[in-house]
Amino acid sequence: MEIFLYGVRGSIPAPLSNEEYREKVISILRLVAKSEGKAFSSPEEWFDGLPEPLNYVVGGNTTCVRIIGSSGVELVVDLGTGARVLGEDLVKEKFGQGKGEASVFFTHTHWDHIHGIPFFKPLYIPGNKFTFYSPLEDLPERLKYQQEPRFFPIHFDHFGSERNFHRLQKGEVLEIGGVKVEWLALKHPGGSIAYKFTENGKSFIFATDAEYNGEDFPLIQEQKPFFKGADLLVLDAQYTLDESFQKFDWGHTSYTMAVNCASSWEVKKLALTHHEPAYSDEILAIILDDARTHAENLGAKDLSIVLAREGMKFKLV
């Protein structure tokens, strides 16, 4: 099972600003000046050796994840603005020939998780087949409403592809192309869903737009059977701890509590996601360092923590 991250920002797209780009370039040039003409085998090797976050951008697109099972089955979670980039990749493959088929799971329908739909090219190509999954009874109406003429010139019903809807029932477990799919309701205004994908004994859980705070330790324990031992957990970590106190009931988690959850659930790897749009790459790098230090202080020595970034790929075998 392979997992690809196409969008990791929360709330609204947040492109790299001119000022942030300038600061990155100046920081790199300072390192060049300090190198005093030392030889290196290639520019690529030198660039790869740069300290984080100078050798990457976190990315500004909102939530979209691609999962490919060992059978080649295509699964997608959410169609935020990252879906535009995913669509560009898919049309290079069989989706460009109208021979693609994918299952799309929606965590919920807040804008940052659906506003990439009108720009997702595979939906326009006849022959492609999509099944949309959600516990929401009115998911079709919600998606169509977004593309009414008042908001977008092409209606949802005018896509060329075949689109079907599957309403998830409580406790329902699916198997799609050899991948087992389970779901869990999360604490979030309007509701949100965590999805668990398991294949060959390896599990990936995507749980964005979830709020866990100091009052939720009973809930964290209650949900442990679902999360326990996940090989990879991509979890909402939008806020600092101080911000989470100021934005109580806004539906998001501090990176400190995200680490607490992952530690309690005995997760192997935690990827912090749904990044605050106001945070620069440099701030997010500091957050990652703080999260790792917090894990060490908790005694969670076996917990690996990374910062979710666009273009990131994970392989669970």
Side-chain angles (χ1 to χ4, degrees):
M1 182 165 52
E2 294 179 299
I3 298 102
F4 303 82
L5 305 184
Y6 281 85
V8 297
R9 284 286 172 178
S11 304
I12 193 170
L16 189 72
S17 69
N18 286 330
E19 182 180 353
E20 289 169 331
Y21 171 72
R22 182 175 185 273
E23 287 301 317
K24 277 183 184 289
V25 173
I26 289 174
S27 296
I28 291 172
L29 291 175
R30 285 174 179 152
L31 291 177
V32 172
K34 289 180 180 179
S35 67
E36 298 178 347
K38 293 179 182 177
F40 52 86
S41 59
S42 69
E44 291 80 8
E45 180 184 354
W46 185 85
F47 184 84
D48 290 342
L50 286 171
E52 296 185 353
L54 295 180
N55 64 357
Y56 67 76
V57 294
V58 171
N61 280 308
T62 58
T63 304
C64 183
V65 180
R66 180 187 188 185
I67 303 109
I68 304 178
S70 57
S71 68
V73 65
E74 292 277 0
L75 310 169
V76 177
V77 182
D78 284 345
L79 293 173
T81 58
R84 184 192 63 80
V85 186
L86 170 59
E88 296 289 349
D89 284 348
L90 290 180
V91 296
K92 296 174 186 176
E93 304 168 10
K94 55 188 175 182
F95 287 87
Q97 305 164 14
K99 298 178 181 179
E101 187 170 348
S103 298
V104 182
F105 295 84
F106 287 96
T107 60
H108 60 315
T109 58
H110 284 169
W111 281 336
D112 50 327
H113 299 263
I114 65 171
H115 58 189
I117 292 175
F119 307 94
F120 185 55
K121 283 186 179 179
L123 284 172
Y124 289 86
I125 300 175
N128 288 332
K129 298 179 181 179
F130 295 91
T131 303
F132 295 150
Y133 293 85
S134 168
L136 296 169
E137 182 179 8
D138 63 344
L139 180 64
E141 287 72 27
R142 294 185 185 208
L143 300 187
K144 291 176 183 180
Y145 186 80
Q146 180 184 217
Q147 289 180 233
E148 286 190 357
R150 292 174 294 170
F151 311 119
F152 197 76
I154 301 173
H155 196 273
F156 186 88
D157 288 336
H158 295 162
F159 286 132
S161 61
E162 178 183 326
R163 297 163 314 287
N164 298 296
F165 291 85
H166 180 109
R167 186 185 178 193
L168 294 170
Q169 303 300 314
K170 185 175 182 179
E172 182 177 6
V173 177
L174 304 172
E175 184 167 329
I176 304 174
V179 178
K180 180 182 178 182
V181 185
E182 302 166 85
W183 64 279
L184 177 74
L186 298 171
K187 178 185 172 185
H188 186 72
S192 184
I193 301 298
Y195 290 103
K196 181 177 183 180
F197 304 89
T198 305
E199 183 184 52
N200 298 326
K202 299 291 184 178
S203 60
F204 159 56
I205 300 176
F206 187 74
T208 189
D209 290 63
E211 181 171 3
Y212 295 100
N213 54 53
E215 298 178 356
D216 290 322
F217 288 107
L219 176 63
I220 292 169
Q221 290 305 307
E222 178 185 327
Q223 295 181 343
K224 186 171 182 177
F226 181 85
F227 289 97
K228 185 175 180 180
D231 294 278
L232 172 64
L233 169 62
V234 179
L235 181 62
D236 188 306
Q238 182 164 347
Y239 300 142
T240 63
L241 190 59
D242 287 344
E243 271 191 312
S244 69
F245 293 141
Q246 298 168 15
K247 298 178 179 180
F248 191 77
D249 280 342
W250 282 35
H252 299 286
T253 300
S254 70
Y255 66 83
T256 307
M257 281 301 301
V259 172
N260 290 346
C261 289
S263 175
S264 177
W265 294 330
E266 301 169 32
V267 166
K268 296 180 178 66
K269 182 185 287 286
L270 168 66
L272 307 174
T273 196
H274 207 272
H275 306 309
E276 166 62 40
Y279 289 171
S280 67
D281 291 351
E282 287 70 26
I283 291 175
L284 291 173
I286 293 170
I287 283 175
L288 176 60
D289 286 341
D290 285 350
R292 287 171 172 168
T293 299
H294 181 59
E296 291 176 7
N297 293 337
L298 286 176
K301 299 178 181 178
D302 297 329
L303 175 61
S304 172
I305 305 176
V306 297
L307 194 68
R309 306 196 308 264
E310 282 182 34
M312 224 174 207
K313 173 184 174 181
F314 303 92
K315 191 169 185 177
L316 303 182
V317 294

